[in-house]
Amino acid sequence: MGGVAVDVDAGGVKAPDGGWGWVVLAGCFVITGFSYAFPKAVSVFFKELIREFGVGYSDTAWISSILLAMLYGTGPLCSVLVNRFGCRPVMMVGGIFASLGMILASFSTSIIHIYLSTGVITGLGLALNFQPSLIMLNRYFNEKRPLANGLSAAGSPVALCCLSPLGQVLQYQYGWRGGFLILGGILLNCCVCGALMKPLVAPKTTIAKELGQDNDKDGEEKMKKKPKAKLLDFSVFKDCGFVIYTVAASIMVLGLFVPPVFVVSYAKELGNEDTKSALLLTILGFIDIFARPTCGVIAGLKWVRPRCVYLFSFALIFNGTTDLIGSQAKDYASLVVFCIFFGISYGMVGALQFEVLMAIVGTEKFPSAIGLVLLMEAIAVLVGPPGAGRLLDATKNYMCVFLLAGSEVVLSALVLAICNFLFIRNTPPDKLESITVTEDAKAETAGSKPAEVSDEEEKGAREEQEKETMKELKEEEDERDKEEEARPKSATVDSQEVERFLKEPQPNGSMATSPETCL
């Protein structure tokens, strides 16, 4: 693509941990909010959709499920597009798709149309924004990455606090069709966030410009020798830690998103007003806002960061246990307490899930790793909320739904913690620090390679100049030698004249004696 800076090789550039990275973090904050809050905020319209199309809870639950399935299932496609075109153009195209899907959904005449427009098209647009934003955040932050992940993940509860009551207001004022149309316009802000994703580029060396055609030939030869980047790297499956994380995350997703989708309907079933019921998502999101950055700060501590996997396992156990206890709620006050504790545990999970993946696979393989993980999780997302909705239709009891969701999340925590303890050797903090230092040193040396190459080329140019000067000096010495060879010839001529003079008779009639006899 002409004029597009492809940021595939950004892994060789050292993460600035600041600067423009804070602007990238702001864009990730908004994108994460749209990606995770939209499937929950759409549940506000479920009651009206049930009346409009005459469907059941499980049918409307498919909307959120398809949204999440597209967000997760298109992970490999996003990885290929990012590795081919870069994060910025992919995100801007995704923003157009996200807006277009909600606009088309406002003209739907059946629930199938909403599946295709809101679920597929909007879900694809959000996926094309969500994954590249995480990749850019991983490239801009290294030492401050846990904090950056926590702050960006806080976009989900902030958006939930805003979108849930906004959706309720839009539903009362304009109906669900007008609400979908306005939400489609709001999603155009994804294009603005995509424009903020400035790719990291290695600094250019001025010496390379000064050198001539020889250096250009050398650069072309190096480019030919350099292997092409893989569009999707399947070698991450050779990493035992990655496989354990993928299995645990797939189990986790089965139950993680079920309570936020059904808590509003649960409150309405207990006889509460619609506005009062929708307030539960606002409470959940408000608690989540503070839980995610706080957990990010804790995960960045020197002692905690090497053991981040076990902190993530604790967050999952906390979340699952909250679901199990919350299943016994019988009134609105109990649901409020449930939303408070669920917001804390859910925020911890949201702040840590991608930080743990980044720590396992590293920056270079993260674009492919996140795509493959999201693909595996998509299968669970397709089964989770609809399965819970089917269970609700069969039992007419929300307690069974929350018990099932909590059991699945606790199981994922046990798989992650036990398998890591048994099959992954723990790296002590001191060794981890040395590893990070060596990685930074490698990054610095990788970034200084062009300078070293240019120094060698300068040395070569200097040696050529010295050779030329040596040739000139040799030529001058040869000329001097010729002059010196010419001087002895003139001397011999003078000596012959002296001998001739000595042999000639002198005016007094005597012969001149030789110099020896004179002496």
Short mmCIF file of all heavy atoms in Angstrom, two decimals, residues 502 512-519:
data_model
loop_
_atom_site.label_atom_id
_atom_site.label_comp_id
_atom_site.label_asym_id
_atom_site.label_seq_id
_atom_site.Cartn_x
_atom_site.Cartn_y
_atom_site.Cartn_z
N LEU A 502 95.28 15.11 -15.44
CA LEU A 502 96.53 14.70 -14.82
C LEU A 502 97.49 14.07 -15.83
O LEU A 502 98.71 14.15 -15.71
CB LEU A 502 96.26 13.69 -13.70
CG LEU A 502 95.51 14.26 -12.47
CD1 LEU A 502 95.14 13.14 -11.52
CD2 LEU A 502 96.38 15.30 -11.77
N ALA A 512 101.94 15.20 -14.86
CA ALA A 512 101.27 15.33 -13.56
C ALA A 512 101.26 13.97 -12.88
O ALA A 512 101.05 12.93 -13.51
CB ALA A 512 99.84 15.83 -13.76
N THR A 513 101.55 14.02 -11.65
CA THR A 513 101.53 12.78 -10.89
C THR A 513 100.13 12.44 -10.46
O THR A 513 99.23 13.28 -10.40
CB THR A 513 102.42 12.92 -9.66
OG1 THR A 513 101.92 14.00 -8.87
CG2 THR A 513 103.86 13.21 -10.06
N SER A 514 100.02 11.18 -10.16
CA SER A 514 98.69 10.73 -9.68
C SER A 514 98.44 11.26 -8.28
O SER A 514 99.39 11.63 -7.60
CB SER A 514 98.62 9.20 -9.68
OG SER A 514 99.59 8.72 -8.77
N PRO A 515 97.22 11.27 -7.88
CA PRO A 515 96.92 11.75 -6.53
C PRO A 515 97.62 10.94 -5.48
O PRO A 515 97.97 11.45 -4.43
CB PRO A 515 95.40 11.58 -6.41
CG PRO A 515 94.90 11.60 -7.84
CD PRO A 515 95.98 11.00 -8.64
N GLU A 516 97.86 9.62 -5.71
CA GLU A 516 98.53 8.81 -4.70
C GLU A 516 99.97 9.25 -4.52
O GLU A 516 100.48 9.35 -3.41
CB GLU A 516 98.48 7.33 -5.08
CG GLU A 516 97.09 6.71 -5.02
CD GLU A 516 96.29 7.04 -6.28
OE1 GLU A 516 96.80 7.75 -7.15
OE2 GLU A 516 95.11 6.59 -6.35
N THR A 517 100.61 9.54 -5.63
CA THR A 517 102.02 9.95 -5.52
C THR A 517 102.13 11.31 -4.89
O THR A 517 103.10 11.60 -4.19
CB THR A 517 102.67 9.98 -6.92
OG1 THR A 517 101.88 10.87 -7.74
CG2 THR A 517 102.73 8.62 -7.54
N CYS A 518 101.18 12.13 -5.13
CA CYS A 518 101.19 13.46 -4.49
C CYS A 518 101.06 13.32 -2.99
O CYS A 518 101.66 14.07 -2.24
CB CYS A 518 100.06 14.33 -5.01
SG CYS A 518 100.24 14.79 -6.76
N LEU A 519 100.28 12.38 -2.63
CA LEU A 519 100.13 12.16 -1.20
C LEU A 519 101.37 11.49 -0.64
O LEU A 519 101.72 11.69 0.50
CB LEU A 519 98.88 11.28 -0.94
CG LEU A 519 97.55 11.95 -1.30
CD1 LEU A 519 96.42 10.95 -1.19
CD2 LEU A 519 97.30 13.13 -0.39
#
